[in-house]
Amino acid sequence: MEEEQLELLLPKKPPLMQYKVGPHLMLYCRPPTSEESVMSDNEPVFFQSRNGPLLPTLRLVHQYPDIQFNKITVDKGAIPFILGGANIMCPGLTNVGGEMPGDGDKPGLEKGDGVVIYAEGKEHALAVGVMTMSSTTIRSKNKGNGVEVVHFLGDGLFQSAEIS
């Protein structure tokens, strides 16, 4: 990651603003950069649900596509379900078109790891989630819920471009 990208993601001054949203969600927002309008509000960049991992927002993932977050790919058949907020079932990751780390030389994912979810044949991420079982277990068991989707295109967090 380049120094400029790191400074944009995690500015030293002014720091990220932290907001508590309901009883179980923390939202981390960055202030507008000097190039942006003075009238802009804080932009959500990370969030954390309960004691889960710190996850990037989809807007951040789309803005910085070169940053390497944990990534999985689902088959085309899962796309409409994910865009409706459904969790990802194991067959959506193991069927032709699905990919997870652990394929080849890459290390696998563990239960509780945060992931950015892409769809087969699509350039941009469509959701962010948390692994409910390890990638090794998903491959061997191939049934049940494999990833809990916590943020997807079109949800309330995605539509909140700015927080005042």
Side-chain angles (χ1 to χ4, degrees), residues 18-27 48-52:
Q18 179 179 343
Y19 296 96
K20 186 169 184 172
V21 182
H24 303 294
L25 183 70
M26 297 301 293
L27 189 60
Q48 184 176 26
S49 181
R50 297 186 184 255
N51 294 329

Side-chain angles (χ1 to χ4, degrees), residues 20-38:
K20 186 169 184 172
V21 182
H24 303 294
L25 183 70
M26 297 301 293
L27 189 60
Y28 300 91
C29 300
R30 68 174 171 204
T33 61
S34 57
E35 299 93 33
E36 295 173 352
S37 169
V38 182

Side-chain angles (χ1 to χ4, degrees), residues 134-157:
S134 71
S135 55
T136 306
T137 306
I138 289 172
R139 282 188 187 86
S140 64
K141 204 172 166 187
N142 200 25
K143 64 168 62 166
N145 183 7
V147 179
E148 177 186 1
V149 173
V150 293
H151 173 39
F152 57 92
L153 287 175
D155 69 2
L157 180 56

Side-chain angles (χ1 to χ4, degrees), residues 103-162:
D103 296 332
D105 297 336
K106 301 177 203 169
L109 295 167
E110 295 299 320
K111 179 179 179 178
D113 286 351
V115 291
V116 176
I117 303 158
Y118 289 81
E120 174 187 12
K122 303 296 181 190
E123 180 183 351
H124 298 291
L126 69 140
V128 176
V130 178
M131 299 290 289
T132 57
M133 57 179 84
S134 71
S135 55
T136 306
T137 306
I138 289 172
R139 282 188 187 86
S140 64
K141 204 172 166 187
N142 200 25
K143 64 168 62 166
N145 183 7
V147 179
E148 177 186 1
V149 173
V150 293
H151 173 39
F152 57 92
L153 287 175
D155 69 2
L157 180 56
F158 186 78
Q159 293 176 3
S160 302
E162 297 176 344

